Amino acid sequence: DTMNPAHADSDPVSITNRTRDECSGLATLGWPQTEAGRHRPPATGLDKQKEPAVVTEFKLTPNAVRTPRAAAVAGILFALLLGTALVLLRHAVPAHPADSGTWLTDSSHRNSVRLALHLVPFAGIAFLWFMGAARDRLGDKEDKFFATLFLGSGFLFVGMLFVLAALAGGLLDLAAEHQGRPPMQVWEFGRPAAYIVLTTCVMRMAGVFAIATSTIALRTGLFHRWLALTGFLVGLISLFAVGPVPWLELAFPIWILA
């Protein structure tokens, strides 16, 4: 009976020895052995190539760079800075470009204008942060067409605002060097040019920005519906009414403040 092959196959000792031999043979072939006695194929080059990619994706995706929440406060800062600058300019400089007024010879008026011009760059910087905060809130809902109008009008608004500050600052320094009586040829060119930049270029771009932002808000729910509808009104005022009617340029920073 001991020489019977059927008994040899069913003998526990024989099965154990044969299992050990098979395991040692698989180990010789490079197949790693687990504690449970099971075997798995060795890791291939494809697996090694996938692992770094997974790790890299994990490192890049969590907590992507975002605009800080405090950037939303930039809209309030922009409204206050630009509103203050416009009020100082309107108070010191006559509304009509042909009128020189007494502000050229009055040091207090000149200082008011100089303070307003110093506030303009900071208002532009705050406006850029405001645009970044608005785009961060939109996220994947951003529409390419209206996003182009939003960004383009915003950048042109800030650029024209800086041009206005530079042009008015040059005229102010020129007037100060000549004791409030700048050369008439330079003044007759620079004063209307600054006025046109404000009422035609700056405020027109502000109107386009207000309309584009209000359209995006109505489509995505970026802010309240009544504020978006008010933005269309502010945009129309900035496009067609600013210039002939004084003080209407304050409608845009007031809308941003709201």
Side-chain angles (χ1 to χ4, degrees):
D1 293 339
T2 58
M3 298 300 296
N4 191 347
H7 291 182
D9 294 338
S10 60
D11 187 12
V13 178
S14 300
I15 294 175
T16 303
N17 294 333
R18 185 173 60 186
T19 303
R20 291 178 179 177
D21 294 339
E22 292 176 355
C23 293
S24 61
L26 291 174
T28 305
L29 293 175
W31 287 56
Q33 182 180 0
T34 61
E35 295 180 358
R38 298 178 182 179
H39 304 278
R40 59 179 177 86
T44 60
L46 182 61
D47 296 332
K48 294 180 180 180
Q49 293 176 358
K50 289 181 179 179
E51 292 178 359
V54 174
V55 174
T56 303
E57 182 180 359
F58 177 77
K59 291 181 179 180
L60 292 178
T61 52
N63 298 327
V65 178
R66 296 184 180 182
T67 307
R69 294 181 180 179
V73 184
I76 301 176
L77 293 178
F78 161 76
L80 295 177
L81 291 173
L82 183 62
T84 303
L86 291 176
V87 169
L88 291 174
L89 288 175
R90 280 296 184 184
H91 178 70
V93 181
H96 198 276
D99 299 334
S100 60
T102 59
W103 71 278
L104 290 176
T105 56
D106 189 352
S107 60
S108 62
H109 284 192
R110 288 202 308 267
N111 292 334
S112 297
V113 175
R114 194 179 302 276
L115 176 61
L117 297 179
H118 282 129
L119 294 178
V120 167
F122 296 100
I125 295 171
F127 187 76
L128 293 178
W129 279 99
F130 169 75
M131 292 174 58
R135 291 197 66 195
D136 181 69
R137 289 190 60 183
L138 284 176
D140 297 334
K141 297 179 181 180
E142 187 178 50
D143 181 80
K144 292 183 179 179
F145 176 77
F146 289 102
T148 303
L149 295 177
F150 174 84
L151 292 175
S153 60
F155 290 150
L156 287 174
F157 171 77
V158 174
M160 291 294 100
L161 200 62
F162 285 7
V163 170
L164 171 64
L167 184 58
L171 291 174
L172 185 64
D173 292 339
L174 184 64
E177 291 177 0
H178 293 80
Q179 289 77 37
R181 295 177 175 84
M184 290 304 299
Q185 292 181 349
V186 178
W187 179 256
E188 290 176 355
F189 167 78
R191 175 71 169 88
Y195 181 80
I196 292 174
V197 169
L198 173 62
T199 59
T200 303
C201 299
V202 174
M203 298 314 300
R204 297 299 186 272
M205 290 300 100
V208 176
F209 179 86
I211 293 175
T213 306
S214 299
T215 305
I216 294 173
L218 287 178
R219 293 191 172 194
T220 61
L222 180 62
F223 44 79
H224 297 292
R225 183 179 179 86
W226 68 268
L227 188 58
L229 295 178
T230 306
F232 286 108
L233 179 61
V234 172
L236 293 176
I237 291 175
S238 300
L239 285 172
F240 302 108
V242 171
V245 182
W247 299 97
L248 280 184
E249 59 270 8
L250 290 175
F252 181 69
I254 291 175
W255 177 72
I256 295 291
L257 183 62

